[in-house]
Amino acid sequence: MHSATVVLVVSVFLASSVEMVEALTIVLAVGVTRGWRSALEGAGAALVVLAAMVAAAGPALVLYVPLNALRIAVGGLLLVFGLQWLRKAVLRAAGLKAKHDEDAIFAEHVAELRVADGSGPARGRRDATAFVVAFKGVFLEGLEVVVIVLTLGAADHRLGLAAAAGGAAVVVVGGVGALVARQLAAVPENAMKMAVGLMLVSFGSFWAGEGVGVRWPGSDLALPVLVAVYGLVAWVAVATLARDRRAVVDVA
Amino acid sequence: MSTSPEHVRPDPPGPGSSTRVIRTAAAAVGRWPGAVGRFVWDFVVGDTPELAVGAVVVVVVVALLAHNGAARPVTVAAMPVLVTLMLGASVRRARRSRAAPQVEDTPGPEAPPPG
């Protein structure tokens, strides 16, 4: 298997897993407070819409957009997304930004949903609030995954593989999430986000470079090298920021 | 202002009401592009415009190098070096914006008592 294929599958799987954990927190909060039927219907409807978006836009991108133009656009978009993920992960790892606390987010959603309707959960009946909140949560968290699946899959002409990796993450995280229920805080989200950020930035550099005429040494083998280089950069950034933060705390 | 039922009752259906419905629908449709634009801006750019602008600049600079006869090692190295500089600048900007209020808001052990 090519190194680019491995990095593609791992990137899409990790990105989908992280977003699914965040979506699952919302769905669990809705299910616990408002009833499971509408929560699951909302989540299911959102997944269907997201899959339809991939099915509709993916082949059109692959068939009608010139490869170099696609790679420049995809590379630029992946650079922006990847740098955003990486920046947040670096700041969190250095202690300059609060970590994503799924327990706190779960409690916040439960409190909001209880306040939203004083009549309490509508177990067994259709509940518009539960449906909309679950749909919105899954749709918005999933939209970034759709962009990642479309961009990575289309640029590499492996849309089916990218979609399958994203779908596998939905199934795995959904299944594990249903079993562990409220222990989502134990998922090492920041480490996963750091890994996804590194891979997206590497893919972004690789595709944008290819699109504008850079001839990478070793072709696809340049991807793991880029991941390693950016990994080293991120590690140095975290270490430097953490040291500076400790120095500021000591002075204060 | 009166709140009697006569004042809150909806107008009876007629030619005027259908015009209002069309106007309301047209206004809603007219707001769509703006709402979609704002959503896309938040989704792609968000609170880090420097990264969006920087990504475009990096791609343009590497394209110029590749198409103006720069040596291959230079074009290959340019992308990761520029991306690293951009990430460093964005992280430094975030640290500055966070560090200043944190140091001021958190009094140290030797800080004088308030008042």
Side-chain angles (χ1 to χ4, degrees), chain A residues 21 40-41 56 65 79 122 124 127 151 212 224 226 230 238-239 243 248 251:
Chain A
V21 166
L40 293 176
E41 283 175 352
V65 182
L79 267 182
D127 178 351
T151 50
V212 298
L226 284 170
Y230 289 131
V238 170
R243 193 194 58 210
V248 168
V251 168

Side-chain angles (χ1 to χ4, degrees), chain B:
Chain B
M1 192 172 144
S2 171
T3 53
S4 65
E6 287 79 10
H7 286 87
V8 292
R9 193 178 294 153
D11 292 336
S17 68
S18 63
T19 311
R20 256 195 311 281
V21 168
I22 291 168
R23 274 195 198 137
T24 310
V29 170
R31 280 194 296 270
W32 252 83
V36 170
R38 272 194 300 279
F39 177 77
V40 171
W41 177 267
D42 284 343
F43 190 65
V44 178
V45 177
D47 56 354
T48 50
E50 75 275 11
L51 292 180
V53 174
V56 175
V57 171
V58 168
V59 174
V60 169
V61 169
V62 175
L64 288 173
L65 286 172
H67 291 278
N68 284 287
R72 189 178 174 208
V74 175
T75 57
V76 167
M79 182 70 84
V81 169
L82 291 172
V83 168
T84 299
L85 290 175
M86 192 166 64
L87 178 66
S90 181
V91 167
R92 220 175 12 251
R93 178 173 169 260
R95 187 188 61 175
R96 266 204 297 271
S97 65
R98 282 179 173 84
Q102 266 183 4
V103 173
E104 284 168 15
D105 292 349
T106 315
E110 287 93 32

Side-chain angles (χ1 to χ4, degrees), chain A residues 13-220:
Chain A
F13 188 86
L14 281 181
S16 304
S17 302
V18 170
E19 298 297 340
M20 265 303 290
V21 166
E22 294 180 9
L24 197 60
T25 302
I26 298 169
V27 175
L28 286 174
V30 175
V32 166
T33 49
R34 314 277 312 184
W36 289 101
R37 181 176 168 178
S38 297
L40 293 176
E41 283 175 352
L47 287 175
V48 169
V49 173
L50 293 168
M53 286 169 75
V54 173
L61 278 176
V62 173
L63 291 176
Y64 300 116
V65 182
L67 192 58
N68 273 352
L70 187 66
R71 285 180 172 173
I72 294 171
V74 161
L77 203 57
L78 288 177
L79 267 182
V80 175
F81 277 165
L83 282 166
Q84 286 172 350
W85 282 55
L86 196 54
R87 175 182 176 275
K88 274 187 196 163
V90 164
L91 292 172
R92 284 185 174 129
L96 289 168
K97 187 175 171 70
K99 285 197 175 159
H100 220 254
D101 185 346
E102 294 301 335
D103 282 345
I105 294 168
F106 179 85
E108 194 181 313
H109 279 297
V110 166
E112 278 173 7
L113 286 161
R114 288 208 166 120
V115 169
D117 183 1
S119 62
R123 292 186 194 281
R125 287 184 288 124
R126 281 219 162 73
D127 178 351
T129 306
F131 182 91
V132 170
V133 173
F135 180 90
K136 203 173 144 191
V138 174
F139 182 76
L140 291 180
E141 298 295 348
L143 203 54
E144 205 159 348
V145 175
V146 167
V147 173
I148 291 169
V149 166
L150 283 177
T151 50
L152 288 180
D156 206 19
H157 279 215
R158 287 193 175 94
L159 195 64
L161 188 65
V170 170
V171 172
V172 170
V173 175
V176 173
L179 291 176
V180 302
R182 294 197 207 167
Q183 293 167 24
L184 292 173
V187 175
E189 251 189 279
N190 202 49
M192 288 166 77
K193 281 186 174 172
M194 179 82 85
V196 173
L198 287 173
M199 290 180 188
L200 294 186
V201 172
S202 303
F203 262 113
S205 301
F206 186 79
W207 290 133
E210 286 236 315
V212 298
V214 174
R215 296 288 155 254
W216 296 102
S219 192
D220 285 357

